[in-house]
Amino acid sequence: MARVRSSSSSSGLRYCNPAYYLKRPKRLALLFIAFVCVTLVVWDRQTLLREHEEEVAKLSEQLSHLKSLVEDSQNVQGDATKKIMLKGRGGEKEVVLDPIDIQRREKVKEAMIHAWSSYENYAWGQDELQPQSKNGVNSFGGLGATLVDSLDTLYIMGLHEQFQKAREWIATSLDFDKDYEASVFETTIRVVGGLLSAYDLSEDKLFLDKAREIADRLLPAWDTPSGIPYNIINLAHGRPHNPSWTGGESILADSGTEQVEFIALSQRTGDPKYQQKAEKVIVELNKTFPDDGLLPIYINPERGTSGRSIITFGAMGDSFYEYLLKVWIQGNKTSAVKPYRDMWEKSMTGLLSLIRRTTPSSFAYLCEKNGNSLTNKMDELACFAPGMLALGSSGYGPDDSKKFLTLAEELAWTCYNFYQSTPTKLAGENYFFYAGQDLSVGTSWNILRPETVESLFYLWRLTGNKTYQEWGWNIFQAFEKNSRIESGYVGLKDVNTGEKDNMMQSFFLAETLKYLYLLFSPSSVISLDEWVFNTEAHPIKIVARHDAVTSGIANGNDRPKIRLRGRKAGRTQE
């Protein structure tokens, strides 16, 4: 590179030498060439400046990584013997760390530093980074989606300097007064969930105040005759509505995936209105809940009834079923939240009816259903289901517990093969299953989704089988090989050719890298006994529920007292 710069610079200066033109009398030509001279010199200096800025950015990223390594060496006492003292509900205990796990966790942490530094350098404060063009884009109305989504990942990984810088941006620049048609679902899981998780981890009230502020702007979406919310709302002016392409209907996943966040918000503020709005949705759906627990993806917000439409554990259905289980866990499995568990078990009965197996390899997969017809198609999004089944299996008796855990392991094997079946070893968006062909990629893009890694994390935590760590490591390496570029991470337009897109999705930092990091961390780091993850992988503290029950679902009229444990001494907030 030095020789190239030297050559272009000396060439420009040679043409700028007046003696060179003494034998060239044509003034017009002389003026033209002089103009070219100046342009060459300016271009050369701009090139040097640009390269200097890129080198500084790289050095800054390397310095940040070195700082994190120093912090880790300070935090992990006795690292020479690979032992640490961990605190849990049962007191302190000594844990022997696997050196391979330590090495892999550091690699994932370095990937997070690279992704975050790229966002800092090219898209700070904007929603998402476009790495190839090195600019930001406000795909969520300018709410700093990547920044808010990444808060708890930064905190968990010990990247405290980056966390504090993000916190300062939230304190000074995060503004929700946007004339923007926001998705109630996306805003809840990313922004409300991200802020609540940052609060539970740090106990910094700024995050709770901000979570309440954005939730208040979302609340009018639930003002419908049935209580089933509209899925779109203008953040500045209200005016909730549904997208035109749904024919005025509300979407099942979008309407049934706010309960974890809104219940947590009521618990932490003592204001029951958030919990009441979100739980009324479940009350309404429970009135006509079918025996198989499977609901079509469209619901009428006026009547609260479902019409004839697709039933799926993939897009637009998935997280409704996830939250039935997770609200039960969030409430510490008390009688106040048992109706959620009952509804979830009905839905798992329905899930069993959608299981089919391929030939010749007998991969288990989840069909989609329309009326009485089944479609042999499964979204990668549905790869959250193995983790959900594993997480919920312990609530059954011994026989059913084993049955559902075995099914979870079978589905995880299928999802892992979604990755292994392509040339890039990254999964496509969905798969079709044909007799004698096992699985075939349908929509062939990959946008850095976390669902399979999420399930591997749960299965490793719940079974201790290190095979799931190996599978996760293979997926991480495929992301490193195919998606990592100098300025961040990108998805693939085609998992067969490896052609890259130009977007670093916020959930790559919020979910994919976080689950990979936890996959190689001790099980006491964000223990499943103390935390529940929302559908955007934001950990929320588990708090026992003892409120009254109405219409089969807790109504949230009590003002619960909770105790949060974090870096500071425990304290009670009312």
Side-chain angles (χ1 to χ4, degrees):
M1 182 62 73
R3 283 199 302 272
V4 172
R5 287 202 299 268
S6 175
S7 173
S8 64
S9 180
S10 61
S11 174
L13 293 173
R14 174 165 62 90
Y15 285 118
C16 289
N17 188 346
Y20 180 80
Y21 298 100
L22 289 176
K23 297 180 181 180
R24 290 164 175 75
K26 294 184 179 180
R27 291 175 177 248
L28 186 60
L30 180 61
L31 288 171
F32 174 74
I33 294 172
F35 171 75
V36 172
C37 294
V38 174
T39 302
L40 282 171
V41 172
V42 171
W43 175 84
D44 192 60
R45 290 182 177 177
Q46 288 176 335
T47 301
L48 285 168
L49 180 60
R50 184 167 58 251
E51 291 173 352
H52 173 71
E53 288 175 344
E54 290 177 354
E55 288 173 3
V56 169
K58 288 180 181 178
L59 287 172
S60 176
E61 180 178 331
Q62 291 170 4
L63 177 61
S64 180
H65 179 49
L66 287 171
K67 284 182 178 179
S68 72
L69 291 177
V70 171
E71 288 176 1
D72 283 348
S73 68
Q74 293 171 341
N75 291 336
V76 181
Q77 299 175 7
D79 190 51
T81 58
K82 309 303 182 199
K83 295 180 180 179
I84 59 172
M85 296 301 297
L86 295 174
K87 293 182 179 180
R89 287 183 173 179
E92 285 193 345
K93 64 177 179 178
E94 187 177 71
V95 176
V96 179
L97 299 178
D98 185 333
I100 295 176
D101 286 350
I102 295 172
Q103 183 184 43
R104 290 177 174 179
R105 187 171 67 246
E106 284 305 310
K107 290 287 187 182
V108 176
K109 184 174 182 176
E110 190 279 328
M112 177 64 186
I113 291 170
H114 177 64
W116 178 258
S117 298
S118 299
Y119 172 74
E120 273 192 299
N121 290 333
Y122 304 114
W124 181 249
Q126 297 185 70
D127 285 329
E128 290 177 308
L129 167 65
Q130 293 182 317
Q132 301 229 55
S133 53
K134 297 182 180 178
N135 64 278
V137 59
N138 283 325
S139 41
F140 295 94
L143 302 181
T146 293
L147 190 149
V148 176
D149 236 356
S150 300
L151 287 168
D152 49 14
T153 306
L154 295 172
Y155 194 95
I156 290 165
M157 291 187 180
L159 299 173
H160 300 304
E161 182 178 326
Q162 293 90 330
F163 179 85
Q164 286 301 322
K165 184 176 179 181
R167 189 246 184 232
E168 289 307 310
W169 183 88
I170 289 171
T172 60
S173 302
L174 181 55
D175 177 19
F176 299 127
D177 190 20
K178 308 281 189 182
D179 188 7
Y180 171 68
E181 303 295 314
S183 163
V184 175
F185 165 73
E186 295 288 358
T187 307
T188 298
I189 66 171
R190 298 184 196 230
V191 183
V192 179
L195 291 167
L196 282 173
S197 185
Y199 172 69
D200 276 5
L201 287 163
S202 70
E203 296 192 8
D204 186 333
K205 194 170 181 292
L206 167 73
F207 299 120
L208 180 61
D209 292 341
K210 285 291 185 179
R212 186 171 194 170
E213 183 182 342
I214 183 61
D216 284 341
R217 291 179 181 270
L218 299 176
L219 278 182
W222 278 265
D223 293 337
T224 66
S226 69
I228 302 296
Y230 293 116
N231 299 150
I232 305 291
I233 192 167
N234 186 287
L235 293 180
H237 308 297
R239 299 197 301 262
H241 59 92
N242 278 332
S244 58
W245 54 268
T246 67
E249 303 281 78
S250 295
I251 299 168
L252 176 64
D254 285 26
S255 304
T257 312
E258 288 88 9
Q259 286 70 32
V260 167
E261 296 82 1
F262 276 50
I263 291 168
L265 189 57
S266 280
Q267 289 174 327
R268 284 140 184 79
T269 62
D271 189 337
K273 66 182 178 184
Y274 308 104
Q275 179 174 320
Q276 289 170 347
K277 291 282 189 181
E279 293 210 305
K280 187 177 179 183
V281 176
I282 306 303
V283 170
E284 193 66 28
L285 295 177
N286 199 30
K287 290 177 181 177
T288 56
F289 206 56
D291 290 339
D292 66 2
L294 300 180
L295 292 178
I297 59 173
Y298 293 133
I299 311 170
N300 188 294
E302 304 296 318
R303 299 187 301 273
T305 56
S306 301
R308 182 183 176 91
S309 56
I310 293 172
I311 290 171
T312 179
F313 280 83
M316 298 193 286
D318 49 7
S319 49
F320 164 72
Y321 304 102
E322 175 188 357
Y323 270 34
L324 291 179
L325 175 67
K326 287 187 172 178
V327 172
W328 176 68
I329 294 171
Q330 178 188 25
N332 207 27
K333 307 174 185 179
T334 63
S335 60
V337 286
K338 187 177 183 297
Y340 282 94
R341 173 77 194 198
D342 294 340
M343 291 176 72
W344 182 77
E345 289 191 6
K346 282 187 177 182
S347 297
M348 294 309 99
T349 300
L351 179 144
L352 291 175
S353 71
L354 302 180
I355 296 292
R356 297 292 183 274
R357 288 176 171 78
T358 71
T359 55
S361 301
S362 196
F363 290 124
Y365 64 94
L366 273 165
C367 292
E368 294 183 347
K369 186 176 183 180
N370 196 345
N372 294 320
S373 300
L374 295 181
T375 303
N376 294 304
K377 168 182 171 287
M378 181 175 171
D379 290 346
E380 198 280 336
L381 281 165
C383 285
F384 85 97
M388 175 186 69
L389 288 166
L391 189 61
S393 64
S394 63
Y396 288 105
D399 291 342
D400 281 339
S401 178
K402 182 179 180 179
K403 176 178 70 175
F404 280 102
L405 183 58
T406 299
L407 177 59
E409 293 177 315
E410 290 178 338
L411 288 170
W413 172 237
T414 302
C415 291
Y416 177 60
N417 277 277
F418 285 174
Y419 285 78
Q420 292 300 296
S421 65
T422 72
T424 58
K425 305 301 181 186
L426 289 176
E429 182 74 356
N430 53 52
Y431 283 77
F432 289 89
F433 306 89
Y434 304 106
Q437 296 183 33
D438 280 330
L439 50 88
S440 301
V441 65
T443 304
S444 60
W445 66 62
N446 179 293
I447 58 172
L448 309 170
R449 286 201 188 278
E451 284 75 22
T452 297
V453 173
E454 173 186 355
S455 284
L456 298 180
F457 158 73
Y458 280 116
L459 281 163
W460 172 72
R461 280 282 182 96
L462 296 166
T463 69
N465 187 340
K466 294 182 76 67
T467 297
Y468 300 116
Q469 290 182 306
E470 294 303 316
W471 293 357
W473 180 245
N474 291 340
I475 291 172
F476 173 70
Q477 288 182 303
F479 279 127
E480 288 291 286
K481 180 179 179 181
N482 296 282
S483 294
R484 180 169 178 150
I485 64 174
E486 175 270 331
S487 49
Y489 287 83
V490 294
L492 300 184
K493 292 181 179 179
D494 191 331
V495 294
N496 297 308
T497 66
E499 182 184 1
K500 294 174 172 56
D501 68 17
N502 187 29
M503 182 66 75
M504 187 171 77
Q505 305 281 346
S506 82
F507 53 66
F508 180 67
L509 293 80
E511 300 186 73
T512 310
L513 291 178
K514 183 188 294 149
Y515 281 130
L516 282 165
Y517 182 81
L518 293 173
L519 185 61
F520 302 110
S521 299
S523 58
S524 57
V525 178
I526 311 299
S527 167
L528 296 181
D529 291 331
E530 298 182 27
W531 300 86
V532 63
F533 290 89
N534 85 335
T535 197
E536 189 77 1
H538 296 307
I540 305 294
K541 269 285 189 181
I542 291 172
V543 178
R545 292 252 315 257
H546 302 289
D547 42 339
V549 177
T550 297
S551 301
I553 297 294
N555 64 17
N557 284 327
D558 289 355
R559 293 170 58 88
K561 299 178 181 179
I562 68 170
R563 185 172 294 277
L564 300 177
R565 293 189 300 277
R567 290 185 298 111
K568 304 175 184 177
R571 63 178 179 177
T572 301
Q573 178 173 341
E574 298 186 15

